Amino acid sequence: MDIETSYNKALDYLYSFVDYSLKHSSELAKADFNLDRMFALMESLGDPQNKYPIIHVAGTKGKGSVSALCAGGMQAAGYKTGLYTSPHLLDYTERIQINGAPISHKQLVELVEEIKPYVAEIEKLTTFEITTALAFMAFAKYDVNAAVFEVGLGGRLDATNIVIPKVSVITSLSYDHMAVLGNTLALIAGEKAGIIKEGVPVVSSPQKGEALAVLERVAKLKNSELTLVGRDVKFELIESSLDGQRLKVEGQRSKVKSQSSAVSGLSSAVELQIPLLGNHQIENAATAYAALKVSGIPISDEQIQKGFSQVQWRARFEVARRDPPVIFDSAHNQDSFAKLSKTLQTYFPDKMVYLIFGASEDKNIPGMFAELKPKIRKIIITRANHPRALEVEKIQELAEQAGAESEAVIPVSDALVRALELSSKDGSIVLSAGSMFVTAEVMREWKLLNE
């Protein structure tokens, strides 16, 4: 059997289990999340997750970018670095990367064959749990000597939360997946704070008061020193253009206890260059820098500078063409749409937007439209080939209520062609956002159009 056939069979096997990312929010809310299955599976595999140091990253927004930055820093420092993230954009193996490259289809096939007998012994395992176990196995098998694991959903009961990391990182918290995580920031923060382990330091991005109070309480309970970016670690933007951003980060030594604290590992000041765009990425870079420094994994400022300057993280305000602009983004809740709106205003203050938009049924779509409305010329509503994607008619009703002009175009390939046609007449931006699945399809079609 050729590799591609075997690879597709391996994916069929993984998707034959319960995949909550494909389930409606009502089913997600009553899902049986617990870590017993995961602990049992990993124990039967010889606990590969204990064989290398790990940085563990949770949060509502920014956790992927922070994970990619941390991995980039460690790779530049000479570590063979594993990076586990989800969901993937174009290929399943993107979830399991070593030194910035996804594992090969052949490697995934071999790992799946290896895990099958162990999975057969444990009931009710999910697609995500098995994929997480494959990542732990892959990094041990291919001799990774440092890894970053991004939480899939929440934190406390997430399949990744069986690790004792070098540092636990919590990025910006906002409202998302409320059916599972709770409908207040305090409840959501409680779920994310579930990754904090006894005596393991915590680094947090700036948080709203309600969320911060929860993180501080849990950190104190677990005897974990909390380093808060914006308070213990200051950061400021130096310059920003479409070519990237420069920022300055410095650890605050003003606290009396900081001489013996984790923060003392931070330099007095360091300049960093990142190719990621938007003010929120400055915050993410400061968070990743603090996480690396607090982790205790030996790494110099020069190595972090090199790693950050080379990081690649797709579909995060990714400008695929500058004139007229084509931008791929993964914003999919109100808070990230607010950040997207600010970023558009920073780099393209005089341009309006043709928004290619689709969303899952559990999202606050009116909130997203409200944040971006001043920039929207027209919404091209479409639907990804995904079971949780909302019907275009329902999204059109919401666009109408928001007072935004829209038209429905299915499939996604036609939606992109339509947006490009409109943009060619007036130079407006073509922007894909609202759903990772839609943006992934837009990226695939854009590549085909430009081959």
Side-chain angles (χ1 to χ4, degrees):
M1 203 187 298
D2 71 282
I3 288 300
E4 287 315 296
T5 307
S6 303
Y7 173 66
N8 285 315
K9 280 190 180 300
L11 292 185
D12 288 343
Y13 167 78
L14 290 171
Y15 281 127
S16 72
F17 295 86
V18 177
D19 184 356
Y20 284 112
S21 73
L22 305 177
K23 296 286 183 190
H24 293 277
S25 54
S26 56
E27 291 177 72
L28 205 52
K30 54 180 189 267
D32 175 25
F33 292 122
N34 74 70
L35 295 178
D36 297 348
R37 297 185 297 268
M38 201 63 199
F39 276 116
L41 177 61
M42 298 318 298
E43 189 181 351
S44 70
L45 290 165
D47 286 323
Q49 76 278 10
N50 298 337
K51 294 190 165 65
Y52 38 81
I54 287 172
I55 290 176
H56 196 198
V57 186
T60 310
K61 297 306 299 177
K63 63 182 189 285
S65 298
V66 168
S67 297
L69 286 159
C70 285
M74 291 196 296
Q75 191 183 331
Y79 295 99
K80 189 172 186 183
T81 305
L83 173 62
Y84 178 63
T85 61
S86 60
H88 60 281
L89 273 165
L90 305 171
D91 191 290
Y92 204 85
T93 55
E94 290 167 23
R95 294 167 181 245
I96 305 171
Q97 298 188 21
I98 297 174
N99 279 356
I103 60 169
S104 69
H105 287 186
K106 182 172 182 284
Q107 286 172 321
L108 186 83
V109 169
E110 288 167 359
L111 288 160
V112 165
E113 286 308 309
E114 198 179 319
I115 206 173
K116 276 181 180 178
Y118 299 97
V119 168
E121 295 298 311
I122 296 163
E123 288 184 359
K124 292 187 175 176
L125 281 166
T126 68
T127 301
F128 185 74
E129 285 168 343
I130 298 165
T131 306
T132 304
L134 290 171
F136 287 132
M137 285 167 67
F139 297 157
K141 184 174 183 175
Y142 303 122
D143 302 317
V144 155
N145 45 26
V148 183
F149 275 79
E150 178 198 10
V151 164
L153 173 67
R156 183 174 63 93
L157 298 175
D158 187 76
T160 61
N161 199 29
I162 58 163
V163 300
I164 303 295
K166 291 291 180 188
V167 60
S168 306
V169 186
I170 298 174
T171 65
S172 172
L173 298 180
S174 56
Y175 292 100
D176 208 1
H177 302 294
M178 277 105 81
V180 185
L181 304 179
N183 55 9
T184 68
L185 264 190
L187 285 170
I188 291 169
E191 287 298 316
K192 308 284 183 183
I195 72 163
I196 299 173
K197 307 293 192 310
E198 185 70 32
V200 174
V202 190
V203 169
S204 171
S205 296
Q207 305 289 1
K208 295 189 174 77
E210 189 185 346
L212 180 60
V214 175
L215 300 188
E216 287 183 319
R217 189 185 76 236
V218 176
K220 194 174 177 187
L221 212 68
K222 298 276 188 182
N223 300 306
S224 299
E225 178 137 22
L226 174 66
T227 298
L228 181 64
V229 173
R231 180 190 70 193
D232 308 322
V233 180
K234 298 289 188 190
F235 63 97
E236 62 176 311
L237 175 66
I238 298 171
E239 63 174 348
S240 181
S241 74
L242 283 174
D243 296 317
Q245 307 191 88
R246 260 192 328 128
L247 67 147
K248 185 170 85 169
V249 183
E250 57 185 317
Q252 297 299 100
R253 292 179 181 273
S254 56
K255 295 193 302 177
V256 177
K257 66 172 188 171
S258 75
Q259 295 313 313
S260 61
S261 79
V263 186
S264 62
L266 292 160
S267 310
S268 50
V270 63
E271 277 192 19
L272 302 167
Q273 176 83 29
I274 56 168
L276 304 174
L277 304 179
N279 203 50
H280 55 290
Q281 295 292 8
I282 296 296
E283 182 181 296
N284 289 336
T287 303
Y289 175 80
L292 287 168
K293 284 299 191 177
V294 166
S295 72
I297 297 168
I299 186 164
S300 70
D301 285 349
E302 292 72 27
Q303 289 163 335
I304 294 174
Q305 284 168 321
K306 184 185 174 191
F308 281 21
S309 70
Q310 296 171 343
V311 80
Q312 290 187 321
W313 196 233
R314 299 208 65 190
R316 273 70 181 176
F317 206 82
E318 181 182 340
V319 182
R321 184 178 74 189
R322 290 195 184 185
D323 193 28
V326 173
I327 300 170
F328 308 135
D329 199 81
S330 56
H332 60 271
N333 72 357
Q334 183 169 356
D335 182 64
S336 53
F337 259 71
K339 287 170 178 163
L340 174 57
S341 183
K342 271 186 198 158
T343 308
L344 283 165
Q345 198 52 37
T346 299
Y347 298 105
F348 301 102
D350 305 321
K351 284 199 179 286
M352 296 293 280
V353 166
Y354 289 112
L355 174 64
I356 303 171
F357 184 91
S360 303
E361 31 94 66
D362 58 340
K363 299 297 177 186
N364 174 8
I365 294 168
M368 292 193 249
F369 288 163
E371 297 294 349
L372 207 57
K373 188 165 176 255
K375 297 290 283 182
I376 293 172
R377 182 149 273 156
K378 191 175 208 179
I379 305 172
I380 314 295
I381 297 166
T382 191
R383 192 172 194 270
N385 183 18
H386 192 276
R388 270 176 53 213
L390 196 59
E391 294 86 354
V392 291
E393 296 78 16
K394 288 187 178 166
I395 298 176
Q396 270 200 291
E397 283 171 25
L398 296 168
E400 202 174 306
Q401 286 165 26
E405 194 185 330
S406 73
E407 66 178 90
V409 184
I410 296 176
V412 173
S413 53
D414 290 356
L416 174 61
V417 169
R418 176 66 176 142
L420 289 169
E421 179 195 327
L422 291 167
S423 161
S424 69
K425 293 172 184 165
D426 60 20
S428 293
I429 297 164
V430 171
L431 166 67
S432 176
S435 157
M436 288 281 274
F437 309 110
V438 166
T439 295
E441 287 187 36
V442 169
M443 289 166 73
R444 202 175 282 121
E445 291 303 323
W446 173 256
K447 189 175 176 220
L448 290 172
L449 288 175
N450 289 279
E451 274 179 350

